[in-house]
Amino acid sequence: MLLRSLLAMAELRLELVTGEDELDRPIRWVVTTDLLDPGRYLRGRELVLTGLVWRTGPADSETFVRALAGAGVSGLAAWDLRLGTIPEDLVEACRRHRLPLFKVPEDVAFATVTEEVVRHLSGARAADLTAVLDRHRRLVEGTGLGAVVDLVGHCHVLSPTGRVVAGPPPPDPAALARAFLTASRLPHHVPALDASIFPVGPDDTPRAADWFIALDGDFAGWPPERHTLAGELAAIVALERARLRAEDRSSQEVVTAAFAGEVAEPEGLPFPVVAVAASSQGALRPGELRTVLSEAVAGAHPVVGMLDDEAIALVPFTGQDVAAAVQDALDFLSPGLPGGRIAVGVGDTAMATGLRGAIEEARYARRLAATRTAPVCVVRHDELATHVLLLASVPDDVRQMFKVRLLDPLHAYDEVHGADLVRTLETFLHNSGSWTRCAEQLHLHVNSVRYRIQRIQDLTGRDLSRLEDRVDFFLALLV
């Protein structure tokens, strides 16, 4: 409620004596006082009523008004019943301290003024509370964050890839997302866009699995109220995100049923689809892994769920190169995955009856991706039609044992004699057992190559003229 509202209350008939330029001051409460210095009892933004009992002479007006101005009072309403007027010294003191002064009619009791103002204040607060409750009601009823963001204004809720979750699209969502993922500390101001970004999740949540908020301006210069608003908005966004995650049970049910071979054609999932499997080593918890995979293929409206510790996405095929899109998205998100690796496998397209096979194919490709050293590795299904698939499906300890038994004798001999047997073996196999080509690449005489190959056979007990022994050596060199 503002001071100018007092003049619109016909039942009070208040008259403005001075302070016309200050009528936009808010009124928080009404206080009646007869103390000469009531400052210690005031908290600011009050409308003070007084009958001037405190006044014994003109000097008292300066003392009284200075105390009110110092306490941050919004306005003063007065009447001296004994004099039948407002003393000029009080009017002058109010002008000097820029304190609006109202004249209360002789026949209007201070209690009436207090009652009417408090009634209006209560109505305004009820309206504010109604607006807040309505905002939350719309959120709970499923109209989403749009209604809340619209009320805040100049606000955007974005995913870590720059996808707009709520609010109008910002000028450069990708730049905001990049700033969010790479900022050393949040909140963070992006000078090029004059926007401040705030996290939605807790500080220990990997950013690649989180949303964030962008508000116009530099947060460093904001008043405390705006900082509080940003915190409250982040809390509301976090609640909405948690609600959406909790409600998204149907996707998990579809993935589980598809892998069990129990789904003929899930509702809302157009075919053909591409299955994508993802795992994380040290970067994400299971729920966060699912979120990151969902974000990586968000443009295709996937169905995403978990199978053991793997996230599985069923992505409607639209002709897009799903593997390339996932690689690009994860590369973009990688600054938000400190110290962790993500392995992804992408299967071939499949119809409803082939969902289980498509998921298995993606999981095999994911296992192959996990054997590679890149922080973000995506393997396509077409890489599975080779011997590499067999290596990927063998446990690590078995593969290492196989390699050690076959190649360790050669490594040991090379260390002692500098014979370069391992390199000779690798060159010999890459040239399909051709003595001449192997000798040319190693810049050796053919007889030297023959001598080395014989030494390899003596040390390992294998015969390189046999196909099966050549295959064993070839696989051991790949492990």
Side-chain angles (χ1 to χ4, degrees), residues 275-277 323 326-327 342-347 361-372 376-384 388 392:
V276 181
V326 171
Q327 181 76 60
I342 289 187
V344 178
V346 180
E361 186 176 54
R363 297 182 87 184
Y364 275 118
R366 195 280 310 162
R367 290 173 198 165
L368 177 55
T371 66
R372 299 179 179 175
V376 174
C377 184
V378 179
V379 169
R380 303 168 186 265
H381 63 90
D382 49 15
E383 294 189 50
L384 298 180
V388 180

Side-chain angles (χ1 to χ4, degrees), residues 337-408:
L337 300 168
R341 297 177 57 237
I342 289 187
V344 178
V346 180
D348 199 358
T349 56
M351 301 303 291
T353 55
L355 281 178
R356 179 182 174 88
I359 293 173
E360 286 283 19
E361 186 176 54
R363 297 182 87 184
Y364 275 118
R366 195 280 310 162
R367 290 173 198 165
L368 177 55
T371 66
R372 299 179 179 175
T373 57
V376 174
C377 184
V378 179
V379 169
R380 303 168 186 265
H381 63 90
D382 49 15
E383 294 189 50
L384 298 180
T386 69
H387 56 274
V388 180
L389 172 60
L390 299 178
L391 291 178
S393 62
V394 175
D396 288 345
D397 56 346
V398 175
R399 283 189 282 121
Q400 285 303 119
M401 181 182 66
F402 175 73
K403 177 180 179 179
V404 166
R405 285 184 176 179
L406 213 54
L407 299 182
D408 261 21

Side-chain angles (χ1 to χ4, degrees), residues 159-218:
S159 77
T161 59
R163 178 174 58 86
V164 178
V165 177
D172 194 343
L176 286 173
R178 192 175 300 109
F180 169 69
L181 291 167
T182 57
S184 59
R185 187 175 181 181
L186 294 172
H188 173 71
H189 179 237
V190 186
L193 301 173
D194 192 25
S196 295
I197 52 179
F198 291 79
V200 169
D203 293 339
D204 62 346
T205 301
R207 295 175 184 169
D210 214 350
W211 291 349
F212 67 97
I213 298 170
L215 294 165
D216 288 356
D218 185 351

Side-chain angles (χ1 to χ4, degrees), residues 16-365:
L16 181 65
V17 179
T18 185
E20 185 175 356
D21 295 339
E22 306 291 336
L23 290 181
D24 287 329
R25 294 183 180 185
I27 300 173
R28 182 183 58 81
W29 201 240
V30 185
V31 174
T32 300
T33 183
D34 286 318
L35 297 176
L36 178 61
D37 186 357
R40 74 189 73 175
Y41 304 108
L42 299 172
R43 295 170 50 199
R45 296 189 298 172
E46 294 94 345
L47 172 66
V48 173
L49 305 178
T50 183
L52 279 69
V53 174
W54 46 265
R55 182 179 179 277
T56 60
D60 290 341
S61 293
E62 173 64 22
T63 301
F64 181 75
V65 174
R66 185 172 60 245
L68 298 188
V73 165
S74 292
L76 173 65
W79 180 251
D80 190 330
L81 189 60
R82 293 169 302 169
L83 297 176
T85 187
I86 296 178
E88 189 59 30
D89 49 85
L90 178 60
V91 176
E92 287 302 320
C94 286
R95 287 197 181 109
R96 281 194 301 272
H97 291 279
R98 301 182 63 84
L99 181 67
L101 173 63
F102 295 87
K103 171 186 172 183
V104 181
E106 184 176 346
D107 60 339
V108 176
F110 284 175
T112 301
V113 176
T114 300
E115 181 180 346
E116 286 299 312
V117 173
V118 168
R119 183 173 64 82
H120 279 75
L121 287 174
S122 298
R125 287 171 182 160
D128 290 342
L129 179 59
T130 299
V132 171
L133 292 176
D134 180 64
R135 186 181 314 171
H136 286 276
R137 174 186 59 78
R138 282 184 279 171
L139 183 63
V140 171
E141 285 180 352
T143 56
L145 292 169
V148 179
V149 172
D150 289 346
L151 289 170
V152 174
H154 302 288
C155 173
H156 319 275
V157 181
L158 303 170
S159 77
T161 59
R163 178 174 58 86
V164 178
V165 177
D172 194 343
L176 286 173
R178 192 175 300 109
F180 169 69
L181 291 167
T182 57
S184 59
R185 187 175 181 181
L186 294 172
H188 173 71
H189 179 237
V190 186
L193 301 173
D194 192 25
S196 295
I197 52 179
F198 291 79
V200 169
D203 293 339
D204 62 346
T205 301
R207 295 175 184 169
D210 214 350
W211 291 349
F212 67 97
I213 298 170
L215 294 165
D216 288 356
D218 185 351
F219 72 94
W222 290 355
E225 294 82 4
R226 188 159 177 79
H227 280 279
T228 301
L229 172 65
E232 292 294 334
L233 181 59
I236 291 175
V237 173
L239 286 173
E240 172 69 352
R241 187 187 59 174
R243 183 182 70 83
L244 291 175
R245 286 177 176 175
E247 287 184 354
D248 190 21
R249 297 172 184 162
S250 59
S251 292
Q252 179 62 53
E253 292 170 357
V254 168
V255 170
T256 302
F259 186 67
E262 299 172 355
V263 175
E265 189 165 346
E267 183 179 352
L269 183 62
F271 284 90
V273 300
V274 175
V276 181
S279 67
S280 172
Q281 296 176 331
L284 301 168
R285 295 185 287 270
E288 294 163 347
L289 176 64
R290 176 180 174 178
T291 299
V292 168
L293 182 58
S294 298
E295 196 60 42
V297 292
H301 305 291
V303 171
V304 185
M306 297 295 297
L307 291 177
D308 300 324
D309 59 348
E310 287 179 292
I312 306 295
L314 300 176
V315 183
F317 180 67
T318 60
Q320 178 190 32
D321 186 339
V322 175
V326 171
Q327 181 76 60
D328 290 345
L330 293 179
D331 285 342
F332 185 89
L333 292 171
S334 59
L337 300 168
R341 297 177 57 237
I342 289 187
V344 178
V346 180
D348 199 358
T349 56
M351 301 303 291
T353 55
L355 281 178
R356 179 182 174 88
I359 293 173
E360 286 283 19
E361 186 176 54
R363 297 182 87 184
Y364 275 118

